[in-house]
Amino acid sequence: MKVRIDSERCQGHGRCYDLAPELFGEDDEGYGHVLGDGAVPPDGERTARLAVSNCPERAIEIL
Amino acid sequence: MTVDERFSRDLRETLKDRPLGVRNEIVTGPVSDWAADFSHTEPEWAADPYPIQDELRQRCPIAHTERFGGGWLPTRYEDVAAVAYDTERFSSRAIIMSNFRPPREIAPIGGAPPISSDPPFHHHARKLLLPAFTKAAVARREAATRAFCHSLIDSFAGRDVVDAAHDYAQHIPMRVIADMLGFPPEDGPRFREFVENALEGVNSPPEERVARMEKLFDYLYAQIRDHVDNPRDDLTTYLINVELGGHKLSPEHVAGTMGLLLIAGVDTTWSAIGASLWHLAKTPADRARLVAEPGLLPTAMEEFLRAYAPVTMARLVKEDMRWNGVDMKADDWVLLSFPAANRDPAQFDRADEVVIDREVNRHAAFGLGIHRCVGSHLARMELRVALEVWLERIPDFGLADPAAVTWSTGQVRGPRTLPVRIG
Ligand code: HEM
Ligand code: HEM
Ligand code: SF4
């Protein structure tokens, strides 16, 4: 599993890096970005789904 | 020392130059039919807007009113989101639904950038503020905020009943924003007056509102001049010096953004802290669970933000148009109720219940799209710390007199009197 943020949609609500700090971080302006290549370890799949289902802008995709 | 010419003009002159807007007749009094005559400024709405919104969502999902010179109220999540995303057809040049429409010429900047701004200017005005309000930046204020919350609770010593809104919730955002802007902490009570007037006084006579706005301006300009003479490491000095497209900001932009941070930062967060404490005071099971499981607080807090979303915004329709089945006219208001969106059963399971361990919570309390609350990370830090300290120090509390609780009127909703028994 991999995660991706659509930067056109992201508005920096930060739900992703609040809920899944091992997968997402914030840039200097508070927008979310994926850490590393966005690969999700098997034990991180639940948190990845949690981030997806709490992003108000529906900006996170699971690939 | 060089004099900054921008701030040496008399501010009243700046205000005198402003273009005229349009006023309408002020209509108050009981609402005859919420679908055709709604008003967010009547006591019934202030006391409990949720049943009204739920009923409208079923019966007339885009309600209308002739008050305030004409406006609309969408109550479905989908429609609220569509308006928030459509900055082409809905303007932010006014965001408080009142009896005054500022002139079209003030777009795309508006009186208080970036909240009053439209694209393309909005992006630049917003970008200036973002670095100071990231999660990492606001984390640096957590220790001071926590110490301040403790000092408020220390001051309750010996009392059985305290007003959780007035003696606790209110002071926290006031202190935090005063520190960030570099204003004297003892000026707190004056901010409260500015904030209440701006948000609650929409039906007062225009002369009074203009006089009050001028008072706020006087205060802000005095702070700006003091910062020009004595620059320091705070947001006011930052706004005075920062450049946008190679130029420093106009005096109106500096003062407008400072006014916005003061008004947007205080009432909103005060309301969120107060509504959360109100819920816990009247719901012993949720209170006991959070005391036992403090790790659940971040999840519970999002649910309080969803269910008691404090902020409703407004937009002005740009041109006559048919929109989702209704005929909107240019300069009609749209009351953008994030609280109504957050209780739409098409978007949330058990939408009308407070479920403190709700896992899927795509709420819109901080808005949607380009105007997402710049202060959301700060507000979340303040709300979490305020609740953590309260629950740690006062795990057992309840409403002292449910009938004595009062709520603010207008577009920011939260308890203003909240007597709780703590001893
Ligand atoms: C729980 C507390 C808060 C809530 C619920 C809240 C809610 C909102 C909402 C819904 C908007 C969107 C406005 C729109 O769509 O027109 C907004 C914008 C804004 N808020 Fe907040 N707010 C809160 C606290 C704060 C704080 C603490 C600050 C800063 C000190 C702040 C500063 C702003 C600013 C600057 C904007 C304008 C953003 C823009 O237009 O780009 N807010 N807020
Ligand atoms: C071109 C700029 C501006 C124009 C044309 C303007 C015009 C007005 C008018 C006519 C009112 C009365 C509204 C009513 O009767 O409903 C008002 C109220 C208000 N304005 Fe402005 N304004 C401008 C800039 C600003 C700025 C920069 C700020 C923030 C610092 C501000 C803060 C306020 C506040 C807080 C009120 C409410 C006052 C109260 O009722 O206590 N305005 N404005
Ligand atoms: S939760 Fe969504 S909008 Fe917020 S930072 Fe993450 S991706 Fe961006």
Side-chain angles (χ1 to χ4, degrees):
Chain A
M1 186 195 264
K2 264 185 115 164
V3 284
R4 203 182 81 86
I5 290 183
D6 178 349
S7 57
E8 294 283 301
R9 298 187 76 113
C10 172
Q11 298 292 350
H13 289 261
R15 301 302 294 133
C16 56
Y17 47 83
D18 277 348
L19 291 164
E22 59 293 342
L23 297 175
F24 303 94
E26 72 173 339
D27 71 9
D28 296 345
E29 296 184 336
Y31 294 99
H33 62 84
V34 299
L35 299 175
D37 64 359
V40 180
D43 64 352
E45 294 191 359
R46 203 187 93 80
T47 21
R49 290 212 172 80
L50 199 61
V52 171
S53 61
N54 281 282
C55 171
E57 309 289 346
R58 298 176 186 270
I60 310 172
E61 283 172 284
I62 290 190
L63 308 171
Chain B
M1 192 180 62
T2 54
V3 177
D4 193 328
E5 292 292 329
R6 284 177 297 163
F7 305 104
S8 52
R9 254 179 92 197
D10 182 6
L11 88 104
R12 303 261 167 167
E13 278 172 48
T14 328
L15 286 175
K16 243 184 269 140
D17 295 345
R18 67 179 183 239
L20 293 173
V22 179
R23 294 184 178 284
N24 57 264
E25 191 199 338
I26 300 174
V27 184
T28 56
V31 166
S32 56
D33 171 7
W34 285 94
D37 180 39
F38 76 82
S39 169
H40 59 303
T41 58
E42 293 305 318
E44 199 182 338
W45 177 277
D48 193 3
Y50 307 118
I52 300 171
Q53 295 169 353
D54 290 346
E55 196 255 341
L56 285 176
R57 202 183 295 108
Q58 300 252 328
R59 174 164 72 99
C60 176
I62 305 177
H64 185 254
T65 190
E66 299 283 338
R67 300 184 190 209
F68 310 101
W72 303 91
L73 170 61
T75 44
R76 287 193 295 227
Y77 176 93
E78 202 186 325
D79 289 336
V80 171
V83 174
Y85 287 126
D86 191 347
T87 55
E88 285 299 308
R89 292 190 290 177
F90 299 95
S91 170
S92 286
R93 97 176 191 267
I95 33 85
I96 302 295
M97 183 168 170
S98 69
N99 300 292
F100 171 75
R101 286 161 173 77
R104 288 183 165 218
E105 303 86 83
I106 77 162
I109 300 175
I115 207 164
S116 61
S117 313
D118 289 326
F121 181 83
H122 168 265
H123 174 75
H124 306 290
R126 177 179 172 87
K127 205 174 159 65
L128 296 179
L129 293 178
L130 290 172
F133 289 93
T134 60
K135 191 177 179 188
V138 303
R140 293 196 287 273
R141 305 199 166 264
E142 179 163 338
T145 307
R146 188 175 300 277
F148 183 63
C149 292
H150 276 289
S151 75
L152 291 171
I153 292 189
D154 292 341
S155 76
F156 298 165
R159 293 168 63 189
D160 289 341
V161 174
V162 297
D163 185 332
H166 196 266
D167 304 334
Y168 188 68
Q170 158 182 194
H171 296 285
I172 299 161
M174 248 159 22
R175 170 59 67 95
V176 171
I177 200 66
D179 282 353
M180 287 181 81
L181 286 164
F183 294 174
E186 65 276 11
D187 284 359
R190 299 179 64 187
F191 312 156
R192 199 191 67 209
E193 199 186 311
F194 296 139
V195 169
E196 278 180 356
N197 289 342
L199 296 165
E200 299 208 26
V202 299
N203 285 330
S204 349
E207 311 74 53
E208 260 175 48
R209 285 182 62 84
V210 169
R212 289 195 302 231
M213 178 179 74
E214 289 179 345
K215 245 172 88 185
L216 168 59
F217 256 80
D218 283 342
Y219 180 80
L220 296 175
Y221 269 76
Q223 294 300 329
I224 292 172
R225 291 206 187 93
D226 181 51
H227 281 75
V228 169
D229 294 343
N230 309 291
R232 33 206 197 259
D233 181 17
D234 58 29
L235 275 175
T236 301
T237 298
Y238 169 77
L239 289 169
I240 291 169
N241 293 330
V242 77
E243 294 192 358
L244 200 158
H247 299 278
K248 291 194 173 183
L249 305 181
S250 71
E252 296 82 3
H253 187 156
V254 174
T257 299
M258 289 166 64
L260 166 62
L261 293 174
L262 201 59
I263 292 169
V266 174
D267 225 25
T268 51
T269 314
W270 167 16
S271 298
I273 298 169
S276 305
L277 289 172
W278 171 76
H279 176 85
L280 293 171
K282 72 180 181 69
T283 320
D286 286 351
R287 194 180 64 243
R289 185 156 175 215
L290 283 182
V291 170
E293 289 176 60
L296 188 62
L297 186 65
T299 308
M301 195 177 99
E302 295 303 320
E303 179 65 348
F304 298 147
L305 285 166
R306 180 192 70 84
Y308 308 117
V311 178
T312 295
M313 278 292 136
R315 298 287 188 264
L316 286 170
V317 173
K318 283 201 193 168
E319 305 293 342
D320 293 1
M321 64 172 166
R322 180 106 186 132
W323 191 83
N324 288 7
V326 299
D327 286 313
M328 294 187 168
K329 296 265 174 295
D331 280 355
D332 277 353
W333 295 103
V334 177
L335 191 61
L336 198 56
S337 176
F338 297 113
N342 279 354
R343 286 174 175 250
D344 182 350
Q347 178 74 8
F348 298 94
D349 292 335
R350 301 161 72 190
D352 57 351
E353 288 172 53
V354 177
V355 182
I356 60 168
D357 57 2
R358 188 185 290 273
E359 285 219 327
V360 176
N361 200 348
R362 226 178 230 132
H363 69 76
F366 291 107
L368 289 169
I370 65 168
H371 291 280
R372 185 274 300 168
C373 177
V374 165
S376 67
H377 303 286
L378 179 65
R380 282 187 163 111
M381 183 276 281
E382 293 180 41
L383 178 58
R384 179 174 49 75
V385 170
L387 296 178
E388 277 170 6
V389 172
W390 181 288
L391 287 169
E392 180 193 319
R393 298 281 303 273
I394 313 177
D396 198 6
F397 62 104
L399 291 181
D401 175 6
V405 177
T406 63
W407 296 81
S408 53
T409 39
Q411 285 178 222
V412 176
R413 182 173 191 271
R416 291 295 172 265
T417 323
L418 180 56
V420 294
R421 179 163 299 283
I422 59 169

